[in-house]
Amino acid sequence: MIEVVNVRKRYRRRYVLDGLSFAAEKGRITCLAGLNGAGKSTALKVIMGLAPYQEGAVRLDGKPIDRSSRERISFVPDRIAMPSSMKLADALQFMADFYASWNGARARELMRFFDLKEGDKVGSLSKGMAAKFNLVLGLAPDTDYVVMDEPFSGIDVFGREAVASVFSSEWVEGRGVLITTHEIAEIEHLIDHVVLLKDGRAVRSFDTERVRDEEGKSVVDVMREVLLA
Amino acid sequence: MNTNEGWTEVAFNGRDPVYLQVIRLFKERIATGRLQPGQQIPSRREAAAALKINLNTAQRAYKEMEEQRLIVTEGNSPSRITQDAGVLRAIRSELLGSAVGGFVAAIRNLDVPVEELLELVRREYETVRRQDDKQDKKPGIEQGRGDE
Amino acid sequence: MNRYLKLVHMEIHRFRYFLLGLMALTLVGQILTVAIATSNEAAKFRDPARFSIDSADKLSFEWIVRISQGMFALPILISMAALLFYVFLIWYRDWLGRSTFMYRLLALPTARRNLYLSKLTAIVLFVFVLLSFQLILLAFEQLIFHWIVPADIRGESVFTDVILSNWLFEVLLPLSGSQFVSLYGFGIMAVTVLFTAILLERSYRIWGIGYAAAYVAACGFAVYATPFALGVNQLGSYFYQWEIFAIEAAVCFLVTAVSVALGFRLLNKRISV
């Protein structure tokens, strides 16, 4: 389980994260939702060690996150994170060199699924293809957790369908997935757990099926209730 | 046998629990004969991928259906639709019941006598049946009914 | 260690065309210079009107190098400027542009200090590759000299004299071991200070540039002021010259150690993408 405990992070004058606490469990798909500027992306960066924070703690299965945790958590950023001149094949080799948990067979499967060619250069990929390649890089290693920052951002309708199908697939089976997205309405039936962020804090954290069962509300309904009140 | 055919055009609403919607879908298909008794159904994983839902949801739906004895899983073989006549009848009654309940709830405030209601239902039913028959007689169209 | 080496390999691989370009530039520039200068001088030797009291009786390679100060130095100066530029670019290229490779690097399951060390190693390697290349090139140029100049007017040169005859070579290829270590040790110190300044800039949004500049100034001051504080330019000072040198070396070592340690800490705790 990835746990964020009372994290506060300041950026210039204001607190982007102001006492944020939530957990993302293994085997479930958790979504951080909220309006723009609520701190979703920042929370993910804090978890991955890409941004410092002033107070609080981030833990992986009870222990503080360190270098070895990075072997167990994949990151799928919202932008291309490989040198433009690199060929896709070289980028895959780069990951294989550094991650003991890299699964080459799964990487090839994913490349086929997303229709990406190893000979292409990273710089020549369209936004949609780059997002898919990021998914390949994030899903290929045998990590316990996958953290994704806006995996649907800037992709066309069919690209989004391809990306969404990943969440129902064996590639995600058994892993803990933590994502942020604006397109929550489109994928809410894929998500197990939602954490609603407002002003850097988790204002509501709930199980999607339980809320549908007990309150008859969709995720968007709850968001409307809590965030627009 | 293509177990995944016909699963992909389902849309789920966000307000009812998805696992219940999946169960309802199965019940409808059993009642309409699209799924035959004893027919093999996709695995949980295949169902999740085909229906585009969360694996956990698919697992929960299957578990529920097993408990309600809609489906049977023997050991490691794929799950199959039940062949228990009692269960099948119960499904039909349940779906009928909810359709009728919905109809009655919709028109209860219109204050129409029962005989008129029954006459309207009979006429609508016969019109639809005639259209169905015309479709059946058109050459070249196969009506898929579950396993072909 | 393995991952550190992979990162070093990656850094070298990314820079390879640039490095080859600098080597090519130096090769072409110096060979052309040698060829043209040698031809001209050899022709002058044949001219009887040339003879005067202080003209040598044979043409030596050392002479050629001596009269080609500027043209020899130019490609080297360009390479030095390019490498200095790359000291900055080797970091900034991972942040700027369409792809932010730094996301990937920081998320790698390797110690963050390997990012710092691999970039440092790469820069040091580039410098030594260019230096070695220059030495080999000089030998090759001497060969060209031999081909052009006929034996009867050809004079021999001692290789060390050849190096001493160009002001830039004298500085960059010092003949004493301790001078070499001092010069390049100082260079490595400078690179670590700049690396840490870059990391300071990247770790503190607005004030980053300020902290970076302040850091460079502080290090520069410590290194520059120490000898004067110890009285290096005073006649009756308390310390011997060699003691001042030793203390200065210790200060440089300290600055390097602090820069590296601070750089590591910034990468681990404060860096932001």
Side-chain angles (χ1 to χ4, degrees):
Chain A
M1 170 165 78
I2 298 180
E3 263 180 283
V4 173
V5 182
N6 230 328
V7 167
R8 301 184 86 211
K9 177 188 167 47
R10 198 177 49 238
Y11 183 73
R12 304 197 193 176
R13 289 279 171 75
R14 74 179 191 105
Y15 275 93
V16 180
L17 300 180
D18 199 2
L20 176 65
S21 294
F22 70 91
E25 283 175 37
K26 192 156 182 254
R28 313 188 79 211
I29 300 180
T30 306
C31 180
L32 285 184
L35 304 173
N36 289 336
K40 309 191 291 289
S41 252
T42 311
L44 292 191
K45 286 189 188 154
V46 158
I47 292 174
M48 293 308 302
L50 295 170
Y53 53 95
Q54 280 72 38
E55 285 173 49
V58 182
R59 297 191 200 119
L60 176 64
D61 296 339
K63 282 178 277 191
I65 296 227
D66 63 3
R67 180 213 319 185
S68 58
S69 345
R70 297 203 277 271
E71 187 80 56
R72 295 178 57 205
I73 309 181
S74 286
F75 185 49
V76 179
D78 60 348
R79 67 191 74 174
I80 311 170
M82 283 293 187
S84 302
S85 56
M86 235 189 201
K87 291 208 191 97
L88 297 192
D90 296 332
L92 291 171
Q93 183 58 49
F94 179 81
M95 298 294 278
D97 283 341
F98 282 93
Y99 287 88
S101 49
W102 184 257
N103 186 328
R106 191 184 301 138
R108 283 189 291 277
E109 254 182 70
L110 283 161
M111 290 286 281
R112 263 198 305 271
F113 176 76
F114 285 124
D115 205 19
L116 295 166
K117 296 182 187 43
E118 289 199 358
D120 286 345
K121 291 224 170 121
V122 167
S124 70
L125 296 177
S126 68
K127 190 132 203 259
M129 285 160 75
K132 290 175 189 171
F133 189 59
N134 274 341
L135 274 178
V136 174
L137 296 177
L139 291 172
D142 290 325
T143 48
D144 291 327
Y145 298 89
V146 184
V147 172
M148 305 189 197
D149 195 358
E150 301 280 352
F152 299 98
S153 148
I155 309 182
D156 64 46
V157 161
F158 304 110
R160 282 211 287 272
E161 276 180 10
V163 171
S165 66
V166 162
F167 293 97
S168 318
S169 71
E170 54 185 325
W171 294 313
V172 139
E173 189 174 355
R175 306 207 232 199
V177 177
L178 177 61
I179 85 167
T180 63
T181 182
H182 284 119
E183 273 83 346
I184 192 158
E186 274 183 50
I187 57 157
E188 70 162 280
H189 54 281
L190 292 169
I191 296 174
D192 288 309
H193 194 85
V194 172
V195 177
L196 275 186
L197 260 61
K198 188 176 181 178
D199 299 326
R201 204 177 291 132
V203 291
R204 197 155 166 203
S205 171
F206 59 92
D207 211 61
T208 51
E209 289 281 78
R210 183 171 321 151
V211 162
R212 288 183 193 119
D213 226 344
E214 292 172 9
E215 298 176 44
K217 293 188 191 133
S218 70
V219 173
V220 178
D221 290 333
V222 177
M223 282 176 75
R224 196 175 292 125
E225 210 177 86
V226 174
L227 299 176
L228 300 183
Chain B
M1 167 177 56
N2 187 344
T3 53
N4 289 335
E5 187 186 72
W7 292 106
T8 54
E9 71 276 6
V10 182
F12 293 103
N13 77 64
R15 296 212 167 99
D16 297 318
V18 181
Y19 83 102
L20 287 180
Q21 293 181 55
V22 171
I23 298 176
R24 199 182 306 145
L25 176 74
F26 271 79
K27 285 183 178 172
E28 275 172 19
R29 292 194 174 186
I30 293 172
T32 58
R34 202 162 163 189
L35 282 173
Q36 292 288 315
Q39 178 178 339
Q40 190 176 317
I41 55 172
S43 70
R44 289 159 170 74
R45 245 200 230 159
E46 288 167 353
L51 293 167
K52 298 197 177 54
I53 56 172
N54 196 317
L55 269 163
N56 293 330
T57 313
Q59 273 163 353
R60 192 168 171 196
Y62 273 47
K63 179 158 167 272
E64 246 329 282
M65 288 197 288
E66 260 173 23
E67 276 171 22
Q68 292 184 20
R69 292 182 301 136
L70 257 59
I71 60 175
V72 203
T73 317
E74 270 149 31
N76 281 330
S77 34
S79 305
R80 303 179 159 276
I81 303 289
T82 184
Q83 296 186 279
D84 181 337
V87 173
L88 293 169
R89 247 177 298 143
I91 296 175
R92 280 193 82 233
S93 324
E94 189 189 321
L95 284 183
L96 262 175
S98 67
V100 168
F103 173 71
V104 169
I107 51 89
R108 71 190 281 180
N109 292 328
L110 292 176
D111 204 19
V112 183
V114 166
E115 296 76 27
E116 209 183 313
L117 279 176
L118 290 175
E119 186 51 38
L120 286 169
V121 170
R122 187 209 312 282
R123 277 208 227 125
E124 179 64 27
Y125 188 82
E126 283 170 2
T127 317
V128 171
R129 265 275 118 97
R130 269 197 297 273
Q131 283 175 355
D132 278 347
D133 286 343
K134 280 215 199 102
Q135 285 273 36
D136 273 341
K137 293 209 171 71
K138 274 208 184 123
I141 292 180
E142 283 175 54
Q143 290 287 47
R145 295 212 155 235
D147 198 5
E148 291 280 304
Chain C
M1 180 62 167
N2 205 12
R3 288 173 172 159
Y4 156 73
L5 288 175
K6 292 202 166 107
L7 286 170
V8 172
H9 173 262
M10 183 203 66
E11 292 292 348
I12 297 176
H13 190 77
R14 291 171 90 184
F15 192 66
R16 68 194 185 290
Y17 291 138
F18 218 85
L19 190 65
L20 288 171
L22 291 175
M23 285 159 80
L25 180 74
T26 311
L27 182 111
V28 169
Q30 287 188 355
I31 287 187
L32 276 177
T33 306
V34 165
I36 294 172
T38 308
S39 306
N40 288 346
E41 292 300 305
K44 274 198 222 160
F45 251 74
R46 294 291 182 201
D47 179 4
R50 181 192 76 79
F51 278 98
S52 61
I53 304 169
D54 48 37
S55 51
D57 53 345
K58 296 271 175 74
L59 178 61
S60 71
F61 180 59
E62 187 215 323
W63 175 251
I64 300 291
V65 174
R66 189 181 295 276
I67 61 169
S68 316
Q69 297 284 319
M71 287 312 295
F72 257 61
L74 188 61
I76 302 176
L77 289 170
I78 293 177
S79 301
M80 284 168 69
L83 277 180
L84 181 63
F85 187 61
Y86 198 61
V87 166
F88 290 93
L89 203 64
I90 199 173
W91 286 100
Y92 283 107
R93 77 186 292 192
D94 290 333
W95 259 280
L96 273 29
R98 205 173 145 220
S99 68
T100 318
F101 192 35
M102 195 44 72
Y103 268 74
R104 201 53 78 188
L105 290 173
L106 289 174
L108 288 177
T110 183
R112 296 256 171 102
R113 62 173 181 271
N114 285 335
L115 298 176
Y116 190 103
L117 291 173
S118 60
K119 289 182 194 285
L120 181 64
T121 307
I123 297 274
V124 170
L125 277 174
F126 296 151
V127 169
F128 286 125
V129 161
L130 288 173
L131 280 177
S132 323
F133 182 68
Q134 176 66 82
L135 286 173
I136 297 173
L137 194 61
L138 272 175
F140 187 62
E141 287 159 11
Q142 188 158 22
L143 212 65
I144 293 182
F145 171 83
H146 271 238
W147 287 338
I148 297 181
V149 177
D152 54 336
I153 53 169
R154 197 195 313 145
E156 288 307 309
S157 303
V158 179
F159 198 71
T160 46
D161 287 341
V162 170
I163 291 181
L164 286 171
S165 54
N166 184 303
W167 67 273
L168 193 55
F169 287 163
E170 219 181 325
V171 172
L172 293 181
L173 294 165
L175 295 170
S176 94
S178 59
Q179 261 186 295
F180 184 87
V181 169
S182 313
L183 178 68
Y184 288 95
F186 194 88
I188 294 176
M189 175 194 73
V191 173
T192 59
V193 169
L194 286 176
F195 271 11
T196 302
I198 293 169
L199 289 175
L200 277 168
E201 193 276 313
R202 291 278 95 190
S203 299
Y204 293 93
R205 287 290 134 102
I206 325 179
W207 297 111
I209 282 245
Y211 292 151
Y215 184 71
V216 174
C219 292
F221 182 74
V223 167
Y224 183 73
T226 302
F228 294 107
L230 297 173
V232 70
N233 51 351
Q234 292 161 11
L235 272 175
S237 73
Y238 181 72
F239 292 98
Y240 290 123
Q241 287 288 321
W242 69 265
E243 285 177 332
I244 295 180
F245 177 75
I247 294 175
E248 171 74 357
V251 168
C252 288
F253 209 78
L254 197 66
V255 167
T256 309
V258 166
S259 297
V260 170
L262 181 58
F264 286 176
R265 198 181 161 77
L266 287 170
L267 275 174
N268 274 317
K269 296 250 160 39
R270 267 241 54 126
I271 201 85
S272 218
V273 270

